[in-house]
Amino acid sequence: MNPAGGTPERTGETTGAPRPAPAPGPPGRQAAARVPRARGGGRGLPASERLRVKLAFAEPALRASTAALWRPEGLLPRYRAYLCAMHTVIRASVPLMERAAERAESLARRGDPLGAPLAAYLAGHIWEEAEHDTWLLEDLTAAGSGPRAALEPVPSPLVASLAGAQYYWIEHHHPVALLGYIAVLEGHAPAAGLAPRLARATGLPAPAFRTVHEHARLDDGHADELYALLDRLPLSRGQETAVAVSALHTTDALTQLFVRLGRTGPAPPVRGAGRSVPREGQT
């Protein structure tokens, strides 16, 4: 569960999952052209497709921010900063899923039909995601920084917003909302060629890219599993909305985070990718 962005050289893979090249025109219009239409405001589509439709309008900005993140100029310090930022994100993922599983089990005992299947899915996914935060610390060491670079600084408010919102929805609404967060992180896995491309551009050894390499291999299947779960769950309209709100918030927060990371180096920030975030030291 590591959103890394893909390689811009391969058409449509700036966020990891293969996509067709976008048609000319505004990003919103491009997204609308790519998604199917359904009668009744989309209720004829399965839940997974309705979520994809919503996310299609937010994803062009995320793809633009990751394309800027992996530009060659100044890539080495930017990659190290990326590893630090991703550690602050990923180290929250297993604890989030553990708390969501506890809440789901509690709801199941009270008769919530989502509780048992949600808890079962999360239990399996917790096992799959265990120790991935450790991978990132090992990558940092191989990249010439070390664990302290990720562990000592105060995490970005963008990361706190990304993960903190999920805690709120788990505790004070319904743990099913976490599926939106997982859908975005799993759905934007690194492209298969990203790790060797970054190694060539930075001169770092292969062990510095273990997380990127492994998530390129693993996460596409994880996304399919999650979308299949969404189609099996007896979601109410409100619960489906909670998943979508979580997913859109996650997309927006990741976009802003990647925009900030992309500002490391000589090139200007990407226009229109997330809300404006001041540089360090600016007000």
Side-chain angles (χ1 to χ4, degrees):
M1 193 156 62
N2 181 66
T7 158
E9 293 136 7
R10 294 175 61 185
T11 301
E13 290 191 4
T14 53
T15 55
R19 291 182 175 86
R29 186 174 300 169
Q30 296 170 17
R34 291 197 301 270
V35 297
R37 296 184 179 181
R39 297 177 182 176
R43 295 302 296 183
L45 293 172
S48 61
E49 289 304 313
R50 290 194 292 271
L51 179 60
R52 292 180 196 273
V53 167
K54 295 180 178 75
L55 288 175
F57 291 92
E59 286 175 340
L62 180 56
R63 291 200 296 274
S65 70
T66 55
L69 181 63
W70 301 133
R71 69 186 187 277
E73 300 83 7
L75 181 56
L76 178 56
R78 196 162 56 251
Y79 178 65
R80 290 172 175 150
Y82 163 82
L83 291 176
C84 291
M86 285 301 99
H87 182 265
T88 63
V89 173
I90 299 305
R91 72 191 186 203
S93 294
V94 167
L96 275 171
M97 291 188 289
E98 289 174 338
R99 183 58 190 140
E102 291 172 359
R103 286 273 291 129
E105 290 168 356
S106 175
L107 290 171
R109 289 192 293 270
R110 287 183 272 166
D112 187 325
L114 270 60
L118 179 59
Y121 167 79
L122 290 169
H125 206 51
I126 287 166
W127 181 84
E128 291 169 342
E129 296 296 326
E131 304 299 328
H132 289 197
D133 55 332
T134 302
W135 293 2
L136 286 157
L137 296 180
E138 293 169 351
D139 290 354
L140 268 170
T141 299
S145 290
R148 294 175 62 183
L151 296 172
E152 290 188 352
V154 176
S156 165
L158 293 173
V159 175
S161 172
L162 173 64
Q166 304 304 319
Y167 279 110
Y168 185 92
W169 288 319
I170 289 167
E171 296 290 345
H172 301 293
H173 186 59
H174 196 290
V176 76
L178 188 64
L179 296 183
Y181 169 91
I182 297 173
V184 173
L185 269 62
E186 299 286 16
H188 296 87
L194 181 61
R197 172 177 168 256
L198 295 179
R200 290 193 301 271
T202 61
L204 293 174
F209 306 95
R210 177 187 179 184
T211 304
V212 172
H213 173 76
E214 290 296 328
H215 282 272
R217 183 176 63 87
L218 296 172
D219 281 0
D220 278 349
H222 290 176
D224 292 341
E225 292 170 10
L226 183 137
Y227 279 114
L229 174 68
L230 284 176
D231 291 338
R232 293 195 306 271
L233 291 176
L235 295 169
S236 68
R237 283 178 179 263
Q239 291 162 343
E240 187 175 329
T241 297
V243 174
V245 169
S246 169
L248 290 168
H249 172 74
T250 302
T251 303
D252 181 61
L254 282 176
T255 300
Q256 293 181 66
L257 180 62
F258 288 160
V259 166
R260 171 165 285 187
L261 290 171
R263 287 174 175 170
T264 303
V270 177
R271 295 182 179 178
R275 294 192 294 270
S276 176
V277 179
R279 294 174 186 265
E280 296 296 333
Q282 290 184 339
T283 57

